[in-house]
Amino acid sequence: MTGTEILMNVTPQESRVALVENGVLTELHLERTHRRGIVGNIYKGRVVRVLPGMDAAFVDIGLERTAFLHASDVAPVEREELNGQGISTGTSPAGNGNGNGAPAPAAREGIRELLRDGQEILVQAVKDPLGSKGARLTTYITLPSRNLVLMPNQSNVGVSTRIEDEGVRARLRESIEQLRDELAPQHGFIVRTAAELADYEAMYNDTAFLKKVWDGLQERAAGAPPGTEVYVDLPLVERILRDMVGVDIERIRIDSRETYQKVCGFVERYLPELIGRIEHYPGERPIFDLFNVEEEIHRALERKVELKSGGYLIFDQTEAMTTVDINTGGFVGHRKLEETIFKTNLEAAQAIGRQLRLRNLGGIIIIDFIDMQDDEHKRQVIRALEKALERDHVKTQICDVSPLGLVEMTRKRTRESLEHQMCEPCQVCGGRGYLKSAETVCYELFREILREVRQYDARELRVLASQNVIDLLLDEESAALAELQSFVGIPIRFQVETLYTQEQFDVVFV
């Protein structure tokens, strides 16, 4: 397989979309029917509590947890009376690639000047609920289409910085300004990268479509109670196709005939350049198995990533950040130690770029490259990492190697990582990733027996524990157990509990 292909595995319960570049899985997008993400959705919310100390507010949008709205995400308020309800809608910033930017901090007002308790506002979700945190919101509302992004109540026009040809930029700016004046004079627009080859008719259709969507959204919001979802972004399959701007897709394979027909209709209307590249896969063997995607997904959930040279990476994901450790492993090189380290770090940089996309890791990421003495080697490793992330459509920022040999970077996080979507904390270890040894549990058990005997009178003790712990007590720790039993002066019986974890035990008086 060469080039870029999209594989879609769709069932009634789950949709999975794999982006495969040159035969290698680089991205996986997952959406379950009962738990769809909310990024991009728009809600009529109600401010529950304004917190000046945090310069933020909590907003009820109808979810289990209230959502978080920071002052930097609150647009300068322009009040519009929607059916006399006084719903606040904000202006969107100009020249912003995704429409979610904010004015300069110096121009910001305090949260109390922007919002009040009980106020009804239109908000858009920019981050799904992550872990114990609620969703993150903004009032900088944006509505995307294939070629444009509508910014309600904003007069400016922006063109994607990825369109570098000045002649094309000037043509697109002139076209959208003319269309805005004709169809939506009170709104702003961003021209997306996908519009680079778009003609005037395509731009006209997008402008009219977005204006119609916004007008309908306002009508629904006017009569809806707080906590109502007034706009839902496209389902995963259509959203992926819409947002694959600037990606030269050679083929799209879909294993569901119903989804195939829906995608054909969507592409015919919005993405005519993809007509002829869509295929229905009718094979009996699962499509993800055919292209080894399933195997790659299982590897992406593992902590250790093997490198071809014999080195390996260790990924540790916490709530605050993700750390990546590089080791030479079995790679011993052929020349000097510095050369071995440099080659391992170069290979690791390329692998990390792919793993960040595949695992959908976001937030703060700390990479512990093997220490290098040569400054030129450090620059080449950073450049390799930057190149590996060039095709990543998620915004990243990379810092230089620190004095401790660490590379700090950030990757914008809007949705849960692959691990958090597909896994849950271990019920045995509680998510720690390790258990107390059987020996440690034995010694805890000895202390518990002494503690209980000193507090209560008993004729006999019964110890309930796991098989591993009791085997150790009766074998390697038998001498210590006999000494303890002689000291307490009462018999101790043992009972194996198959449902107990290695750390669990109970001491029962008989």
Side-chain angles (χ1 to χ4, degrees), residues 143-151 157 172 175-191 199-215 270:
L143 293 174
S145 66
R146 175 63 174 175
N147 298 306
L148 302 173
V149 175
L150 171 69
M151 303 183 296
V157 168
L172 293 172
S175 296
I176 192 58
E177 286 179 347
Q178 181 179 342
L179 288 170
R180 182 200 61 188
D181 294 341
E182 179 183 349
L183 299 176
Q186 72 275 37
H187 302 309
F189 289 90
I190 293 171
V191 181
D199 56 21
Y200 186 84
E201 182 180 359
M203 302 274 282
Y204 180 93
N205 292 337
D206 271 22
T207 305
F209 169 75
L210 290 174
K211 177 64 165 57
K212 184 178 180 180
V213 170
W214 173 246
D215 290 343
Y270 298 108

Side-chain angles (χ1 to χ4, degrees), residues 333-354:
H334 300 288
R335 296 182 181 179
K336 298 179 181 179
L337 174 61
E338 179 69 17
E339 193 69 21
T340 302
I341 291 173
F342 175 53
K343 289 185 177 180
T344 303
N345 282 340
L346 275 180
E347 186 182 4
Q350 297 172 356
I352 289 169
R354 172 175 172 258

Side-chain angles (χ1 to χ4, degrees), residues 262-279:
K262 288 181 180 179
V263 168
C264 285
F266 181 81
V267 164
E268 185 176 351
R269 180 175 181 183
Y270 298 108
L271 309 169
E273 70 273 15
L274 294 181
I275 294 177
R277 305 183 199 178
I278 306 173
E279 296 180 5

Side-chain angles (χ1 to χ4, degrees), residues 26-244:
T26 55
E27 289 185 22
L28 178 73
H29 301 270
L30 170 69
E31 185 172 83
R32 289 171 177 162
T33 306
H34 69 284
R35 196 176 65 188
R36 282 191 58 184
I38 66 168
V39 172
N41 295 354
I42 298 174
Y43 299 84
K44 180 178 178 181
R46 179 175 60 85
V47 179
V48 175
R49 189 179 181 190
V50 175
L51 302 172
M54 296 178 61
D55 207 19
F58 288 107
V59 181
D60 178 14
I61 57 173
L63 301 181
E64 183 179 349
R65 291 194 297 266
T66 55
F68 183 80
L69 177 61
H70 192 265
S72 62
D73 293 314
V74 180
V77 177
E78 293 182 2
R79 297 197 178 279
E80 293 182 1
E81 296 298 326
L82 301 181
N83 290 347
Q85 294 199 26
I87 303 173
S88 299
T89 60
T91 62
S92 297
N96 183 343
N98 59 17
N100 289 331
R108 291 242 54 90
E109 300 176 88
I111 191 68
R112 282 201 179 279
E113 285 71 47
L114 295 167
L115 300 173
R116 67 177 186 277
D117 289 349
Q119 182 178 349
E120 296 179 6
I121 54 175
L122 281 181
V123 290
Q124 187 169 35
V126 294
K127 285 186 180 181
D128 282 330
L130 301 173
S132 59
K133 300 177 182 178
R136 177 125 187 194
L137 306 176
T138 182
T139 64
Y140 290 108
I141 292 174
T142 59
L143 293 174
S145 66
R146 175 63 174 175
N147 298 306
L148 302 173
V149 175
L150 171 69
M151 303 183 296
N153 306 318
Q154 171 67 22
S155 58
N156 292 346
V157 168
V159 179
S160 170
T161 56
R162 294 189 178 182
I163 301 178
E164 299 178 352
D165 188 297
E166 290 300 329
V168 174
R169 292 178 64 85
R171 173 181 64 82
L172 293 172
R173 183 178 292 276
E174 182 180 353
S175 296
I176 192 58
E177 286 179 347
Q178 181 179 342
L179 288 170
R180 182 200 61 188
D181 294 341
E182 179 183 349
L183 299 176
Q186 72 275 37
H187 302 309
F189 289 90
I190 293 171
V191 181
R192 305 184 74 181
T193 308
E196 187 169 7
L197 301 177
D199 56 21
Y200 186 84
E201 182 180 359
M203 302 274 282
Y204 180 93
N205 292 337
D206 271 22
T207 305
F209 169 75
L210 290 174
K211 177 64 165 57
K212 184 178 180 180
V213 170
W214 173 246
D215 290 343
L217 186 157
Q218 287 187 300
E219 290 179 8
R220 288 192 296 274
T228 302
E229 188 178 63
V230 295
Y231 171 82
V232 181
D233 202 4
L234 292 173
L236 175 66
V237 169
E238 290 91 340
R239 190 171 69 242
I240 290 295
L241 295 177
R242 179 196 68 192
D243 293 339
M244 282 293 171

Side-chain angles (χ1 to χ4, degrees), residues 7 16 281 284-295 298:
L7 308 177
R16 299 188 298 171
Y281 172 74
E284 294 184 2
R285 186 180 178 188
I287 189 171
F288 274 22
D289 287 354
L290 184 65
F291 295 99
N292 296 321
V293 171
E294 208 69 64
E295 183 179 348
H298 290 306

